[in-house]
Each structure stands twice: as C-alpha cells, then as structure tokens.
Amino acid sequence: MEKEITIYDIAKRLKLSPATVSRALNDHPAINSDTKTLITAMARQMGYRTNTFASNLRRQRTNTIGVIVPRLNSNFMSTVLAGMEKVANEASYNLIISQSLESVKKEIANAKTMFNSRVDGLLVSVAYDTDKFDHFEAFIKKGIPLLFFDRVIEHKQCTSIVIDNVKAGYDAATHLIEQGCRRIVHVTGNLKRNVYADRLTGYQQALRQHGLPFDESLVMITDLSQEAGTEAAKRMQAMPERPDGVFVTNDFCAVCCLITLKKLGVSVPDDIAVVGFNDDPVSQVVEPDLTTIHYPGAKMGEVAAQSLINHLNGLLDIQTTNKIILHSELVVRHSSLKSGK
Amino acid sequence: MEKEITIYDIAKRLKLSPATVSRALNDHPAINSDTKTLITAMARQMGYRTNTFASNLRRQRTNTIGVIVPRLNSNFMSTVLAGMEKVANEASYNLIISQSLESVKKEIANAKTMFNSRVDGLLVSVAYDTDKFDHFEAFIKKGIPLLFFDRVIEHKQCTSIVIDNVKAGYDAATHLIEQGCRRIVHVTGNLKRNVYADRLTGYQQALRQHGLPFDESLVMITDLSQEAGTEAAKRMQAMPERPDGVFVTNDFCAVCCLITLKKLGVSVPDDIAVVGFNDDPVSQVVEPDLTTIHYPGAKMGEVAAQSLINHLNGLLDIQTTNKIILHSELVVRHSSLKSGK
C-alpha cells in the first residue's frame, strides 16, 4: 500500500511549518493568497488527500468555537475561559459561551443553539445532572469536534481534560491528617460528577492509608454555594463529637464556612483546620488565609482550546486521545496549620 | 385616516393577553397551533398589519440573544448574566455570550460573530476603549434590536440601562466626608466610560458641596485589578500628606487595597476609611467588612433581557426609550466607620 501523503510531507518539501500548510489547505485568513496557491499546488502535485479525520477541513468554517459551562459565577471558570480566549485569539477564533445553569435541559438547548450557530468545534463542562450524551450526537455525526474539560463524560470520540482529582483529594486529606486531624468533614457536590466523586475517593484513600475509619456522616453533599458553607459550619459546631478538620471542595464555600466557624467561637485552625479547593483569590483575602488546591484553570482552558484548534487544523486527532491530565498542587496557608505542630 | 389595528385590539376582541397575540403572530413555539390559527384569522379579518416597529416580527427567529461583555471575571457580571438567563429562560430564549476582553478590536469580531449567528437581539456592555458605534450598524440596518447596559454608548435607536453613577459616587464620597475624611483618594477606571466618568463627577460634587478642594493628584486611573488595589495602597502610604479615606470603584480592588494598607501598618478605618463599589460577596469576607455601593446586577440583567424580549414581541419599542435608570444604594459596613465618630 502506497504511503499516504501528509501535511508534514508537504511542509518538509516547501520548508514551511505544518501549521502553515494546514492553515493554507483550510483557507485560513492568516495565510496570504500566494502562499495558499503554492501550497495547494504542491499538495495536488504530491497526491495529498485529506483523510477522514481531517474531513472537517473541507467544511465551511465560521472561525467560532462554542463553549458550554455550568455557570459563569466562579473565578475558576473565568480563568478557564481566559485561557481559552488567549489561544483562540491567537488563532483568529472567536468564542461564544453559554451557561447550562446546572440543568441538563438547558444544556440540551445550549447544544442546539451552538449547533445552529455552526460552531467549528465545541468545548463542554457538563451540568450537575447530565448523564446522557444524546444531545451531543449531532456534533459527532457532522464531524464537529467535541472536547470535555473539568466536568467530563466519557465518550470514545472525545478527549477529556481534567486534573487528577483523586490525587488532589488525597493531598488535601493527607495534609489535614498530618496536622493531627482525626475527624475530617468533607463538604462536596453531586457525586455523579467525576470531579466530586474522585475527590471523595482521594479523601477515603488518605483515611485508609493512615488507619482512620471512614465515617459517612462526615460527608456533606451540598451545592457548594456560600450558604452551604455557612450551613456546614453550623452543622459541624453542633456535632456531639466535634470534628477537627474540614475539606471543602470549593474555596468560596470554604471561606464562608471558615468565617461562620469564627463567628461561632470556633478557632481556625486550632479547633478546626480548613482546606479549600481551586485557589480562588478570595482564599488570600480571608483571615487566616486558606490552604487550598491550586487548580490550573488558565492552563486547562489553553490546553482545551489548543487541542481543539490543532484538531481543526489537522495537527492532532482528538479522537485518538482519551484523556489529558494536568498538574494540580496543594498550597499550604494558615487555615490548616495547627499551632501545636 | 383610519385607526390602525393593534395587537391590543385583537387581544381585546379574543379576550386574550396582548402577549399571547403577539407571540401567536410571531409563530412562537409556546402558543399551540389552534390558538395561532384563530389569532391569525382574526388579525386578517380585522385588517391588522405589522408596523415598522414590529417588522422584525416577520424575520425568522433563532430564539437566541447575543450578549457581549468586557470580561466574565466579576461577580457583578455573573450576576447580571444570571438575571438575563432567568428572563430569557422563561421566554424560551437562549443566551450566547462573548467577551471583548476590554478590546474594541475583539468587540468588533464578537459583533460579527453574533451577527452571523443570526441572534434575534443583542445586549452589550462596551469595552474599555470603544468609542465608535460602526460595528453595531449592521444590526440597526437589519432591524435587530440592540440594547446597552452598564457601560453604554449613546445612540438614538438604542435603550441604555444604567444606575445613576453620579449619585452613587456622590453617596460614597459624602459618606466618607461625614465620617470626617478630608483627603479622599479616588481609585477608578478609564474615564472614557460613562460609569467611571459619572462616579468621578459625583465624588467632585460631594467635595464641592462640603467646601473641600478637588485635588487631581488624589485621583488614580487604573485597570481596577487586584494588583491595582495593592499598588494604590502603597502609593497612599507613601504620600507626604497622608489621605484619610479612599473610594475605590470596584470591590475586589478595594479589598486588596484594604489588606495591603493593614499589612503596611495603616489602621482601617481609623487612619484610612475605605469604600468600595458593587457589593461583591468578597466585601463581606474581608476584615473589617467593606462599605460599598450595592449595584443591582441581577435586576439590570432582568430589565435588559425583558426590554429586549418585549421589543421582539412587539410590546415595547426600545427605540422610543432612551435610558432606564435603576436604584443603587450605599451599604455601610465597618471599613468606613471611624471610631471617633
């Protein structure tokens, strides 16, 4: 079987970058028309044909990428979007964004709107209650690439971009245990979502490894709102056997929990040590400042957008990549450092 | 001249609401087809014709509203968008959102994307450096309604939705003066934008009314970022004649300013009283908690979306409304209450 000509072969022959060749074949506005003519002629001469994976190159482009997110009300999400905008801008793409407001019903409507807006690709972080892929099938059928980030659902034709949430949960709980905590409350969200289920798994692994029992009554499933943080503090203070640590999987929720604990006369970190999640700027505003997991939001946005754009330009096939995992890290501040230690 | 038949006449005759009649004539999915047939027949019988203002009713609908905002990184903006989503949802509209990232160049690209996505209407808060209307002309020509909110530019065919920023600036400065402040720093944004120019005017009015001189060196034009807040605190502390109050037109910037002042050994509020703007949740996290202007973000979003949808349904002509002004109010907390008072 004759070897298939790739854009890399054309690039090599013309001493141009594969990206330039790809863009030229895709009629990208950033490439001038002489270069396009040259590249197209060489491609024809060498017998280049677009393969299935690159078939979307033939579709007419709108240079628009759709993004569907649960909500736009967190620093984390705005940081992810800033990362996407940065990469999209550089490649002359425009983002259009819609919110599912944590409802699968609205997510379905959003997907339809994005489809009708003829987006070139779609980046999705799913709603609280999404458990089917049906509303995304139209994109797959039409060859419009789809990529999940943060809150993902598994699909063999889609890449997912996440942090290692199990490790992050493990790191947070281990840190509390190392500070002497033995009864650690875990305040989290809907366990249907990978991010929360994985963090819980990490928390459980840390307990097990340190010979501590897992007490289900210490896990509080909430909507991770500010009110939920306040409520969690009240519940903890009222527990007959008071906890000595709390790991909240959202910073603003953790901050409200911390403030309420202080108002109730509980000393943070000495009575109860607090760890949050996301490294939201608010974690440095509260006193004592909040130990948290640094979540690389901007990086996640950049990687998501870049992977999608590379796919569109024929430089990377997202259907062969299953998952991309980014680094996260524990940032130790004062809300968790017990003075006796 | 014969009196023109309106949807109100049809509604009265059929004992239906004008909204139902308007929706039926507009082929809205929420109205069942029997009702549509009935209403259309009655409209024909009565000699109803759509007028110019309602001409957009004849266009094909996408049930999508476009929103262009400077950035998605503030609680204020996410609150505005939540208000818009609420109203849009109830009327079966979907929002698509894009960010100008404070650049008019990107705002132009966004407007083009929204136009090509065939939005039924557009809601805009302009970028830092927007000073022309040209990129919105295509919407006006095509009869696609356009409404500005918060950061607005004047155009005779568009409604603007704002708070009274002059009054808000006046209230903030007056409160500081009443607390005994005599040298009040004002940290603000680009004075090209109505919101910042108006707040400065209010600050100046308050000084004048209380017989205090206006000192231009006390006005700091910044990007209102967190870094800008830190920087402002350092500048204030280094001033030979130290100020005794500061009015920052953004809460997160104000909070960073407050924290930095404390770190520099300046007592807040006794040495320097601090007032912010927006009533962001972070204003209640910082110690002392922050006096601020409550900005009705959700209300602004609701009014903007409702006005646009009413226009689309022929119930309100936004081309006859020039400006809608919403209430804002001073919320006094501890960052500004001098103990000597």
Side-chain angles (χ1 to χ4, degrees):
Chain A
M1 189 184 150
E2 201 181 322
K3 197 181 156 286
E4 192 76 32
I5 298 295
T6 68
I7 55 164
Y8 296 93
D9 303 317
I10 304 169
K12 204 169 167 187
R13 182 80 69 89
L14 290 170
K15 295 194 167 54
L16 291 169
S17 76
T20 302
V21 172
S22 166
R23 286 176 167 195
L25 294 173
N26 181 37
D27 205 20
H28 191 287
I31 310 293
N32 79 47
S33 62
D34 286 351
T35 311
K36 276 177 193 165
T37 309
L38 174 72
I39 291 172
T40 313
M42 180 56 80
R44 203 178 300 117
Q45 187 195 313
M46 292 173 73
Y48 173 77
R49 1 171 249 180
T50 54
N51 55 28
T52 332
F53 139 57
S55 69
N56 57 63
L57 297 183
R58 288 187 304 257
R59 287 196 307 115
Q60 194 169 5
R61 294 286 187 94
T62 58
N63 274 63
T64 303
I65 294 172
V67 188
I68 301 178
V69 300
R71 282 192 193 279
L72 291 165
N73 66 351
S74 64
N75 179 269
F76 166 66
M77 199 48 86
S78 68
T79 309
V80 170
L81 288 167
M84 290 177 179
E85 293 277 10
K86 179 170 169 279
V87 169
N89 254 337
E90 283 163 6
S92 305
Y93 280 86
N94 234 331
L95 300 187
I96 56 177
I97 303 157
S98 67
Q99 323 184 58
S100 64
L101 303 176
E102 299 287 11
S103 141
V104 65
K105 201 178 143 206
K106 187 146 166 54
E107 187 177 281
I108 293 169
N110 289 342
K112 205 175 148 197
T113 299
M114 291 297 178
F115 190 81
N116 291 336
S117 294
R118 296 173 299 132
V119 293
D120 292 338
L122 191 63
L123 302 169
V124 181
S125 182
V126 297
Y128 216 67
D129 57 347
T130 301
D131 52 9
K132 289 205 174 114
F133 187 84
D134 300 8
H135 49 303
F136 300 121
E137 286 294 353
F139 293 88
I140 301 290
K141 272 189 199 137
K142 198 117 196 201
I144 301 168
L146 178 60
L147 218 139
F148 292 100
F149 64 94
D150 190 44
R151 294 200 197 159
V152 305
I153 49 183
E154 305 287 336
H155 188 280
K156 66 180 191 318
Q157 287 180 282
C158 303
T159 297
S160 293
I161 302 188
V162 290
I163 62 163
D164 186 341
N165 284 289
V166 176
K167 180 178 174 294
Y170 175 87
D171 288 349
T174 299
H175 168 71
L176 285 168
I177 294 166
E178 285 170 358
Q179 290 298 311
C181 299
R182 290 298 169 264
R183 278 180 64 74
I184 303 168
V185 168
H186 181 39
V187 180
T188 190
N190 188 346
L191 297 176
K192 232 189 227 177
R193 293 279 66 85
N194 61 302
V195 292
Y196 307 120
D198 289 355
R199 290 169 200 175
L200 173 62
T201 302
Y203 159 88
Q204 290 171 312
Q205 283 181 1
L207 294 179
R208 199 177 314 122
Q209 193 179 309
H210 292 83
L212 295 173
F214 170 61
D215 180 347
E216 210 171 335
S217 73
L218 296 181
V219 177
M220 302 183 187
I221 311 292
T222 73
D223 61 0
L224 293 171
S225 63
Q226 294 163 38
E227 293 71 30
T230 303
E231 190 51 39
K234 290 179 185 163
R235 278 179 60 190
M236 278 193 276
Q237 206 251 356
M239 285 181 178
E241 198 184 344
R242 200 152 78 181
D244 48 15
V246 57
F247 165 38
V248 186
T249 61
N250 174 290
D251 275 344
F252 225 117
C253 184
V255 161
C256 292
C257 180
L258 190 162
I259 291 176
T260 308
L261 285 173
K262 281 172 67 181
K263 281 186 188 154
L264 294 170
V266 177
S267 163
V268 176
D270 287 334
D271 294 340
I272 300 184
V274 183
V275 175
F277 210 104
N278 286 347
D279 201 11
D280 187 292
V282 77
S283 63
Q284 295 183 66
V285 168
V286 71
E287 292 176 46
D289 52 357
L290 186 70
T291 295
T292 187
I293 300 286
H294 177 76
Y295 205 120
K299 199 80 209 157
M300 181 171 279
E302 285 171 27
V303 171
Q306 194 64 61
S307 302
L308 188 70
I309 290 168
N310 285 347
H311 178 95
L312 288 168
N313 289 336
L315 296 173
L316 166 89
D317 186 352
I318 59 168
Q319 297 177 4
T320 63
T321 322
N322 177 27
K323 203 167 256 188
I324 297 175
I325 298 175
L326 304 179
H327 287 291
S328 64
E329 56 178 335
L330 181 75
V331 180
V332 177
R333 298 201 182 100
H334 296 95
S335 68
S336 64
L337 291 176
K338 301 236 181 195
S339 55
K341 295 291 293 184
Chain B
M1 191 185 150
E2 201 180 321
K3 197 180 157 286
E4 193 78 30
I5 299 294
T6 68
I7 55 165
Y8 296 93
D9 301 320
I10 304 169
K12 204 169 166 187
R13 181 79 71 92
L14 290 170
K15 294 195 169 48
L16 291 170
S17 76
T20 304
V21 172
S22 167
R23 287 174 166 195
L25 293 174
N26 180 37
D27 206 23
H28 190 286
I31 309 294
N32 79 46
S33 62
D34 288 350
T35 310
K36 276 177 193 164
T37 309
L38 174 71
I39 292 172
T40 314
M42 180 57 79
R44 203 176 302 117
Q45 189 194 314
M46 292 174 73
Y48 173 77
R49 359 172 252 179
T50 55
N51 55 27
T52 332
F53 139 57
S55 69
N56 56 63
L57 297 183
R58 289 187 302 258
R59 285 195 309 115
Q60 195 168 4
R61 294 285 186 96
T62 58
N63 274 64
T64 302
I65 294 172
V67 189
I68 302 177
V69 301
R71 282 191 194 277
L72 291 166
N73 66 350
S74 65
N75 178 269
F76 166 65
M77 199 50 87
S78 68
T79 308
V80 170
L81 288 166
M84 289 177 181
E85 293 277 9
K86 180 170 170 276
V87 169
N89 255 336
E90 284 164 7
S92 305
Y93 279 86
N94 234 333
L95 300 186
I96 56 177
I97 302 158
S98 68
Q99 323 184 58
S100 64
L101 302 176
E102 300 287 9
S103 139
V104 65
K105 200 178 144 207
K106 186 144 168 53
E107 186 177 282
I108 292 169
N110 290 342
K112 205 175 147 195
T113 299
M114 291 296 176
F115 189 81
N116 291 336
S117 294
R118 295 173 301 131
V119 294
D120 291 339
L122 191 63
L123 302 169
V124 181
S125 182
V126 298
Y128 216 68
D129 56 349
T130 301
D131 52 8
K132 286 201 176 121
F133 187 84
D134 300 8
H135 48 305
F136 300 120
E137 286 293 353
F139 293 87
I140 301 290
K141 270 187 200 138
K142 199 116 193 202
I144 300 167
L146 178 60
L147 219 139
F148 292 101
F149 63 95
D150 190 44
R151 295 202 198 159
V152 304
I153 48 182
E154 306 285 337
H155 188 281
K156 67 179 186 322
Q157 287 180 282
C158 303
T159 297
S160 294
I161 302 187
V162 290
I163 62 162
D164 185 340
N165 284 289
V166 176
K167 180 176 174 296
Y170 175 87
D171 288 348
T174 299
H175 168 71
L176 285 169
I177 295 167
E178 285 171 356
Q179 289 299 311
C181 299
R182 292 295 170 265
R183 277 179 65 74
I184 303 169
V185 167
H186 181 40
V187 180
T188 190
N190 188 345
L191 297 177
K192 232 190 226 177
R193 293 279 67 85
N194 60 303
V195 291
Y196 307 120
D198 288 354
R199 291 169 200 174
L200 173 61
T201 301
Y203 159 88
Q204 290 172 312
Q205 282 180 2
L207 294 179
R208 199 177 315 120
Q209 192 179 311
H210 292 83
L212 294 172
F214 171 61
D215 179 349
E216 209 171 336
S217 74
L218 297 181
V219 177
M220 302 183 186
I221 310 292
T222 74
D223 62 0
L224 293 170
S225 64
Q226 294 163 37
E227 294 71 31
T230 303
E231 190 50 41
K234 290 179 186 162
R235 279 180 59 192
M236 276 192 278
Q237 206 250 357
M239 284 181 178
E241 196 183 346
R242 198 151 81 183
D244 47 17
V246 57
F247 165 39
V248 185
T249 62
N250 174 290
D251 275 345
F252 225 117
C253 184
V255 161
C256 292
C257 180
L258 190 161
I259 290 175
T260 308
L261 285 173
K262 280 171 66 181
K263 281 185 188 152
L264 294 170
V266 177
S267 163
V268 176
D270 287 334
D271 293 341
I272 300 184
V274 183
V275 175
F277 210 103
N278 286 346
D279 201 11
D280 187 293
V282 78
S283 62
Q284 294 183 65
V285 167
V286 71
E287 291 177 47
D289 52 356
L290 186 69
T291 295
T292 187
I293 299 287
H294 177 74
Y295 205 119
K299 199 78 209 159
M300 182 172 277
E302 287 172 25
V303 171
Q306 195 63 63
S307 303
L308 188 69
I309 291 169
N310 285 346
H311 178 95
L312 288 167
N313 288 335
L315 297 172
L316 167 89
D317 185 352
I318 58 168
Q319 298 179 4
T320 62
T321 321
N322 176 27
K323 202 167 257 186
I324 298 174
I325 299 175
L326 304 178
H327 287 289
S328 64
E329 56 178 335
L330 181 75
V331 180
V332 178
R333 298 200 184 99
H334 297 95
S335 68
S336 63
L337 291 177
K338 301 238 179 194
S339 55
K341 295 290 295 182

